Amino acid sequence: MFKTEVYTKRREELHKKLKKGIGLFISNSEAPMNYPDNTYHYRQDSDFLYFFGIDLPGFTGLMDFDSGKDRIFANDYEMDDIIWMGPQPKVKELALKSGITDTAPLAKLEEVVNDAISKKRKIHFLPPYRGETKMALGRLLKENPCQMISIASVDLIKAVISMRSIKEKVEIDEIEKAVEVAYEMHVTAMKMCKQGVKEQDIFGVIEGIALAKGGGPAFPIILSINGQTLHNHSHDNILSKGKMMVTDAGAETNLHYASDITRTTPVGGKFNEKQQNIYEIVLKSNTEAIKATKPGMSNRDLHFMACKILASGLKDLGLMKGDVDEAVEIGAHTLFIPHGLGHMMGLDVHDMEALGENFVGYNDEVKRSDQFGTAYLRFALPYKPGHVFTVEPGCYFIPELIDKWKGEGKFKDFINYSKLDAYMSIGGIRIEDNVLITDKGHKLLGKPIPKTVKEVESVCS
Ligand code: GLY
Ligand code: MN
Ligand code: MN
């Protein structure tokens, strides 16, 4: 946990923002894998971590916004648990670390919530994303568990997003630690990227680094020579000459802050001419976008800037044609980059998306585009100091999408379909870094991870 005052300060700020009603924060429960006692790796809810810091199941935090008081509901472990789990801290000790002196057994929670319901007090809670939490809330509030997302408190969602979006110094330090672990994961993957090696071997080794140095991977590792599949979670290929390996991998620290880095490495460690041509374009898009990152600039503007660099490079190679601004305006570039430039990062690798992507990245003035590809942009608002973002342009040759568009003659004034065949073996290239928005500009987080052609080739050799 962070120091106690980190949590007390955060709750004080939330009290100032809400003022009325009560707020319920339910910790994540254990999730069984194949029978109740055989559970998945435990991951606490990020909002519970943010406001209370306690990294255990079976806890509920209650904030009374009228009285300004906070309370923890949980049961102490019993002897039957201790025999299997060893000595465990008492609820009182854990609550104190979070700056809360008032604790009660879980059985008392229903009584307190019933009292609030009978007095028609507003009960604020965040949208639950796990079935167990939906059930717990439904039972407490006497509402249909399936409706818990739609009746979650918009006031609480907005207040929490406004706080979690701006990272504190202790959080930035954690994210930097997570990027340091990612450095080791990626450099190791590059060194192992040799002909004949199984993807699974590299995947296992770098997942092991994330576990050895922190809290494990921040998300399921993407590692594939079929990088044209954006989130490719199969690792059963054998690396072969002429292919490139996309590794999109980050770690969580022990306090659960994430990194999210992507590197693309030619099998055997040397780029061929076509690979290098496309790689340099994606690299330029990545580095120029990072350079332009500063407060006031919107992630949407930066996204289009990065897309134009990509489209312009592809035009130079003869894969695209026509006016670049026009091509990007109508969405022709989305054949090659059907995803957004980046997303916020913090306690979640896609930070706060459980609270609703549109609450995080859009507002009443800035609406989500419904254009193919651009619709996946997760955040369109201006940057503020304290935001942490990924910058992750890519270029993909997706056979199914190319065939479909070619068949339809889609954007044929902007795409040279006949030239694409020669590039299909590239698969995909993505280069992703993690950036903090500062008062005047930005800071690349962590030790820079090799990414120029020279740097990557030198690591591989
Ligand atoms: N790691 C998934 C992403 O880059 O968004
Ligand atoms: Mn990523
Ligand atoms: Mn990402």
Side-chain angles (χ1 to χ4, degrees), residues 260 343 350 390 392 432:
D260 181 9
H343 49 85
H350 285 191
T390 66
E392 49 180 305
E432 175 174 26

Side-chain angles (χ1 to χ4, degrees), residues 219 222 231 248 260 262 343 349-350 378 390 392 430 432:
F219 54 92
I222 296 158
H231 281 180
D248 184 347
D260 181 9
T262 307
H343 49 85
V349 64
H350 285 191
R378 306 183 116 82
T390 66
E392 49 180 305
R430 179 162 63 251
E432 175 174 26

Side-chain angles (χ1 to χ4, degrees), residues 14 54 100 143 156 228 236 278 294 312 322 385-386 396-397 420 432-433 443:
L14 191 60
I54 300 167
I100 295 174
E143 297 277 0
L156 182 59
Q228 72 278 9
D236 46 13
I278 305 285
K294 59 176 188 203
S312 160
Y396 311 90
F397 294 83
L420 301 188
E432 175 174 26
D433 288 301
K443 177 180 184 262

Side-chain angles (χ1 to χ4, degrees), residues 76-291:
D76 277 323
Y77 285 101
E78 293 173 0
M79 189 51 72
D80 275 357
D81 305 307
I82 291 167
I83 290 166
W84 294 96
M85 301 164 66
Q88 297 296 318
K90 296 274 187 214
V91 169
K92 278 248 171 258
E93 293 166 39
L94 290 163
L96 265 185
K97 287 191 181 170
S98 183
I100 295 174
T101 50
D102 189 2
T103 63
L106 266 181
K108 181 87 183 152
L109 178 61
E110 197 167 342
E111 207 181 290
V112 172
V113 173
N114 281 344
D115 181 63
I117 294 171
S118 71
K119 291 179 177 147
K120 298 199 163 24
R121 297 181 70 192
K122 170 79 184 164
I123 301 176
H124 300 270
F125 60 92
L126 296 169
Y129 50 90
R130 285 200 184 178
E132 289 85 348
T133 316
K134 290 178 188 174
M135 298 290 284
L137 278 168
R139 191 177 54 77
L140 275 173
L141 304 175
K142 296 165 185 61
E143 297 277 0
N144 179 350
C146 299
Q147 284 176 346
M148 288 299 124
I149 293 180
S150 58
I151 63 170
S153 163
V154 172
D155 289 343
L156 182 59
I157 291 171
K158 289 185 173 170
V160 170
I161 290 174
S162 71
M163 292 176 64
R164 281 185 56 190
S165 296
I166 308 298
K167 269 59 182 181
E168 302 154 6
K169 167 87 172 65
V170 286
E171 297 185 285
I172 294 160
D173 291 347
E174 281 295 310
I175 298 171
E176 292 231 67
K177 274 191 226 164
V179 183
E180 299 293 335
V181 181
Y183 179 99
E184 284 199 42
M185 294 164 77
H186 281 277
V187 167
T188 303
M190 285 176 197
K191 288 182 178 162
M192 290 182 74
C193 184
K194 294 188 191 327
Q195 198 176 336
V197 176
K198 263 202 283 179
E199 289 171 350
Q200 190 176 349
D201 288 342
I202 310 177
F203 165 79
V205 169
I206 69 171
E207 176 137 341
I209 294 173
L211 284 161
K213 307 273 172 180
F219 54 92
I221 291 173
I222 296 158
L223 185 148
S224 180
I225 50 172
N226 288 322
Q228 72 278 9
T229 302
L230 303 185
H231 281 180
N232 197 334
H233 289 133
S234 82
H235 311 291
D236 46 13
N237 292 304
I238 294 179
L239 306 193
S240 51
K241 201 167 153 45
K243 301 292 286 183
M244 305 184 84
M245 179 178 81
V246 169
T247 308
D248 184 347
E252 276 197 1
T253 60
N254 287 328
L255 295 186
H256 303 293
Y257 284 83
S259 56
D260 181 9
I261 302 283
T262 307
R263 290 292 182 265
T264 307
T265 314
V267 175
K270 269 247 165 257
F271 290 86
N272 65 33
E273 194 187 335
K274 285 207 169 60
Q275 288 172 340
Q276 180 163 348
N277 287 342
I278 305 285
Y279 188 90
E280 293 283 14
I281 298 169
V282 179
L283 184 65
K284 184 172 178 199
S285 180
N286 164 287
T287 51
E288 293 295 315
I290 291 174
K291 260 191 231 157

